[in-house]
């Protein structure tokens, strides 16, 4: 079997060994896909106006929503891409986590946000599997959404946001 075949995520129909701790036909912790869509890819930027101009001039992108989220110390602009968004994100204060991110890493992808049916349910599933989370409970996000962040060290080095619309 080639190395690629071993890693093929679709080739696990009779591969019980790949799922640790499960016997034959045993109940899975998660019995259906919890992530229904990509809600947004968030990109940390120094200057929101400049970043919006760049996306508009380069890609013809249109800002669909803009909001200051005081509790997170950020201002965001959402640019629609099909059913998802690119979220340009800039800090509104020096002690904002995004300000610290820009200081350490510069501009770039900050987090991936996945849509879920129920933020509480998805967060509970993540916690039940022992993954570190940033938000112990769902909380209000922008656009009237309910969100929770999972720690970047928990799952594949990515800061993940769960978004319930
Ligand atoms: Co986000």
């Amino acid at each position: 079997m080639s190395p690629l075949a071993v890693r093929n995520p679709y080739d696990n129909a009779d591969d019980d060994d790949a799922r640790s701790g499960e016997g034959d036909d045993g109940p899975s912790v998660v019995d259906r896909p919890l992530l229904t869509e990509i809600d947004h890819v968030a990109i940390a930027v120094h200057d929101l106006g400049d970043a919006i101009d760049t996306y508009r001039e380069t890609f013809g992108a249109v800002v669909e929503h803009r909001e200051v989220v005081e509790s997170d110390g950020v201002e965001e602009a959402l640019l629609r891409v099909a059913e998802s968004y690119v979220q340009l994100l800039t800090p509104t204060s020096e002690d904002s986590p995004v300000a610290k991110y820009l200081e350490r890493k510069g501009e770039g992808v900050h987090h991936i946000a996945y849509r879920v049916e129920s933020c509480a349910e998805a967060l509970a599933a993540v916690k039940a599997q022992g993954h570190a989370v940033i938000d112990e409970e769902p909380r209000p996000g922008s656009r009237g959404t309910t969100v929770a962040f999972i720690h970047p060290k928990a799952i594949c080095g990515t800061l993940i946001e769960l978004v319930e619309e």
Side-chain angles (χ1 to χ4, degrees), residues 107-159:
E107 294 189 328
V109 174
H110 181 264
H111 65 269
I112 309 287
Y114 297 114
R115 253 169 239 155
V116 294
E117 270 174 38
S118 162
C119 190
E121 180 198 30
L123 182 62
V126 169
K127 289 167 69 175
Q129 291 168 85
H131 295 304
V133 297
I134 292 173
D135 296 308
E136 289 293 335
E137 299 294 334
R139 63 181 176 84
S142 65
R143 290 175 288 145
T145 58
T146 300
V147 305
F149 280 87
I150 302 168
H151 199 282
K153 285 180 182 159
I155 299 174
C156 305
T158 311
L159 177 57

Side-chain angles (χ1 to χ4, degrees), residues 48 52 63 65-78 87-93 96 98 139-144:
L48 194 57
I52 290 169
V63 174
H65 181 82
R66 195 162 165 166
E67 183 171 341
V68 173
V69 185
E70 290 292 355
S71 53
D72 288 338
V74 297
E75 181 172 6
E76 67 176 46
L78 291 173
Q87 180 187 72
L88 302 173
L89 200 57
T90 202
T92 54
S93 67
S96 157
V98 174
R139 63 181 176 84
S142 65
R143 290 175 288 145

